[in-house]
Amino acid sequence: METTSTTLVVLAAGMGSRYGGIKQIDSFGPGGETLMDYSIYDAIRSGFKKIVFIIRRDFATEFMDIFEPRLKDRIALEYVYQDIDGYTEGIVIQERKKPWGTAHAVLSAMEKVNETFAVINADDFYGYDAFEKAQNFLLSECTADRYAIIGYDLLKTLSENGTVNRGVCQVDTDGNLTSIVERINVALKDGKVFCDDDKEPRELSLNTSVSMNFWCFHPSIFQYTQKLFREFLRDNIQNPKAEFFIPIVADQFIKDGGTIKVITTPVPWFGVTYKEDAPEVQQRLKELVQKGEYPEKLWS
């Protein structure tokens, strides 16, 4: 697929249950920037032409009031809502309290995206290198049967303030993803990394590559995801807590013959899983500004 225009889809509808607030719009940068501002800044300078925000209706006005003045003259903006009943084709699960997870969120952007696109979390710092590599892939390599994921070093993605969940990547000798498995309650202890899968501690390799939900997709992913979501709903009609995550779609895509390139970046990821992570995030952003990698005020 030849394309000269790429879109960034930002997953900003999360509930922030561990954090205890709407971290997508909290300020962390020295000029009052959110973490999302840094991702958008990096996306713009690496050549992305449009941003699609996936948000919740209950904070839509507050969200737009923040980002419209900053961005409206810099890049095309679109907003979509991730609703519980979106793309469910009339299937209703009464006990359901929230939308269906990250793959369902991506589906919400279907009407706004016709070009190759990247997907990121709103509350993570990914670094310019990741956006530049994603843009190059989307422009030159991405096809209906070849996607990509940005892989980060596991050790650089842990929190000192509690456990985290991470998508652990298995990669073949050609640099392609063979599987991605969500590992629960990951933490560093005595120089080793452990997770609590099925309530039984499991040690993870220190040089493991993990997903921080930075994906590169062809628009064909929408119809494919819609088909899988239909099957997921049918299988989970009695499970109101079931989650339809992007790795579920990615794993099935690989099984169906597609390839997902793992693009590695040496840039350390950071983010806010817990309130206690905030001071470190603020300090790291301050250091990047002092090094000259970002201006003191992104949108001045």
Side-chain angles (χ1 to χ4, degrees), residues 6-143:
T6 55
T7 288
L8 180 67
V9 173
V10 182
L11 304 178
M15 306 292 280
S17 55
R18 294 191 189 195
Y19 181 73
I22 305 174
K23 56 185 174 178
Q24 299 95 314
I25 57 177
D26 272 4
S27 297
F28 296 98
E33 297 87 356
T34 66
L35 277 175
M36 202 182 331
D37 280 307
Y38 288 90
S39 291
I40 294 167
Y41 181 84
D42 285 336
I44 291 172
R45 60 177 175 155
S46 61
F48 285 81
K49 299 301 183 186
K50 183 171 73 178
I51 307 286
V52 177
F53 293 110
I54 300 173
I55 58 177
R56 298 201 316 272
R57 293 181 189 274
D58 60 353
F59 69 79
T61 301
E62 186 178 359
F63 188 97
M64 293 178 190
D65 285 347
I66 292 172
F67 291 100
E68 279 285 332
R70 299 179 186 182
L71 302 173
K72 64 180 179 181
D73 297 325
R74 303 175 190 272
I75 191 168
L77 300 177
E78 298 275 8
Y79 303 89
V80 297
Y81 301 112
Q82 184 185 9
D83 294 321
I84 292 177
D85 58 355
Y87 298 93
T88 59
E89 299 179 2
I91 296 174
V92 178
I93 298 182
Q94 300 291 347
E95 297 84 0
R96 189 79 189 180
K97 303 297 184 186
K98 62 179 183 176
W100 294 91
T102 53
H104 179 240
V106 171
L107 203 51
S108 304
M110 182 162 62
E111 305 301 326
K112 300 292 185 180
V113 181
N114 299 303
E115 54 284 313
T116 57
F117 66 102
V119 175
I120 63 166
N121 291 336
D123 49 9
D124 293 340
F125 178 90
Y126 293 103
Y128 175 69
D129 181 73
F131 286 93
E132 184 179 41
K133 288 175 176 174
Q135 172 75 335
N136 290 338
F137 175 85
L138 291 170
L139 290 175
S140 61
E141 291 185 60
C142 189
T143 66

Side-chain angles (χ1 to χ4, degrees), residues 13 31 37 94 102 113 128 148 155 174 201-202 206 215 285 296 299:
D37 280 307
Q94 300 291 347
T102 53
V113 181
Y128 175 69
L155 274 176
D174 294 325
R202 177 199 301 260
L206 295 180
W215 299 85
L285 290 172
E296 191 158 347
W299 310 118

